[in-house]
Every structure is written in structure tokens, then in C-alpha cells.
Amino acid sequence: MVATNGQQEKEELIEEWQPEPLVPPVSKDHPSLNYDIVTGPPSHKITVNGKECINFASFNFLGLLDNGRVKKQALASLKKYGVGTCGPRGFYGTFDVHLELEDRLAKFMRTEEAIIYSYGFATIASAIPAYSKRGDIVFVDEAACFAIQKGLQASRSFVKYFKHNDMEDLERLLREQEQEDLKVRDNAP
């Protein structure tokens, strides 16, 4: 079978064709090729690219897990109070150490009283509904963490979200709220 001119031209084009690379060439100084190198054992201090840094990716950024005095007190507490699967006071009750710490914190902060929670999520999710109730209006950054969202949900307050870190958007919402408040006041009997 003899190829026609059109077929021959197609075959030549196919033969000559060179596909473009799927990924364009990347220069050697591209940021994604020059990543940070962390060396040394995991601890509250780490070495990044040869520079010593505090490891804020750890809950031990203060280095207390390596402190002999802290270890000794932790062991004494374990012997006195034991351990459980969780530690909320609502479940296990209030112990003398809770009250002592709250008293010391209140004195330090020069307040009448203080309260401690087991962990940050519980603090946020409990404090918000303690101060904000149904009918209250709360202005919140749209990037608020999950604990804040849950606290707001539990409060049953009316939530108005502003764009993340955008004070102009917050100001816009506050002005809108001011206008709504004026309408309600003017229409009140």
C-alpha cells in the first residue's frame, strides 16, 4: 500500500512531534527545592538549618518535661491521685490541688476568684456561653477556631462573621448593626 501525500505529511508530522514537558523546568533556587532541615532529637529546642529554635510545634515548648523538679512533682501527684482516661472536674470532681491553684492564680492576678479548666477547648467552649446568651450579638472573625465556633453555638447568640483579620469588614458590620439598632429604637413604643 502506497501512502498518499496527505498521509505521508501526517506521518512526518507525527514523527517530528515532540511533546512539551508535563511540568515546566524548575530553577535550582526555587523555594520548594530549598526546604528547612531539622536536626537533633525531638525536644523543646530544635535545630533548623543550623540555628537553634524553640519548638512551638510541641506541647513541651517550655522544656518542662525534662525538668527534674517537674518530674518529681508529677510522680508525687500520680502516687497521690492516680490516673484515669480523662481529667475533667465535672467527671472526677474537684480536688484540693484545683482549689489551691485557683486560689494562687486569683491572688497573682489580684482578682476575687479564678477558675481553671482541663484544656483549652473546654475553656473556650465553656467561657463563651457563660458570658454570651441567646439574643446577644457577637462579632467574630470568620477564621475563628473550632472551639470558639462550638462555644458560640452553645451560647445561642446571634453571630455575625467578618472577613479574616479585616477590620474594615468588621467596621462595616458594626455600622450596619448601629443602623439596625437605631431602627428598632425609633420604632419602639
Side-chain angles (χ1 to χ4, degrees):
M1 184 160 117
V2 178
T4 64
N5 254 358
Q7 282 180 321
Q8 188 175 357
E9 186 179 349
K10 275 185 192 177
E11 287 178 23
E12 287 174 2
L13 286 171
I14 291 171
E15 197 66 36
E16 292 172 6
W17 183 72
Q18 290 292 320
E20 291 184 30
L22 293 175
V23 178
V26 179
S27 66
K28 291 191 188 292
D29 63 339
H30 192 277
S32 63
L33 296 177
N34 298 304
Y35 42 85
D36 294 325
I37 298 176
V38 179
T39 55
S43 180
H44 71 289
K45 290 188 179 175
I46 55 174
T47 304
V48 180
N49 298 332
K51 181 180 177 184
E52 188 175 84
C53 301
I54 297 173
N55 184 3
F56 286 110
S58 162
F59 280 119
N60 186 33
F61 53 86
L62 295 175
L64 296 177
L65 293 178
D66 303 324
N67 182 297
R69 190 170 142 236
V70 171
K71 285 180 180 180
K72 183 179 174 185
Q73 289 297 318
L75 187 58
S77 292
L78 284 171
K79 287 178 181 177
K80 181 176 181 180
Y81 301 104
V83 295
T85 56
C86 60
R89 287 163 70 174
F91 188 78
Y92 285 111
T94 298
F95 290 97
D96 56 344
V97 289
H98 295 125
L99 299 174
E100 181 186 335
L101 178 58
E102 288 174 345
D103 186 53
R104 290 176 69 183
L105 285 171
K107 287 176 181 164
F108 178 77
M109 299 299 294
R110 297 184 180 140
T111 62
E112 197 173 310
E113 291 182 302
I115 186 168
I116 56 172
Y117 289 88
S118 301
Y119 64 113
F121 189 101
T123 306
I124 297 166
S126 299
I128 291 173
Y131 296 102
S132 181
K133 302 288 183 220
R134 183 191 308 261
D136 291 347
I137 300 170
V138 182
F139 296 88
V140 181
D141 189 303
E142 68 183 2
C145 73
F146 186 67
I148 290 173
Q149 293 173 29
K150 289 288 125 189
L152 290 166
Q153 188 178 31
S155 77
R156 298 172 142 184
S157 298
F158 185 68
V159 180
K160 293 189 176 190
Y161 290 98
F162 58 90
K163 293 176 188 165
H164 179 55
N165 284 339
D166 188 336
M167 294 302 101
E168 289 175 6
D169 193 42
L170 172 59
E171 188 171 345
R172 177 189 60 81
L173 288 175
L174 291 169
R175 288 181 197 275
E176 286 176 6
Q177 186 61 48
E178 183 179 36
Q179 292 303 311
E180 287 178 37
D181 291 347
L182 288 172
K183 286 179 189 175
V184 170
R185 188 190 73 194
D186 291 344
N187 292 329

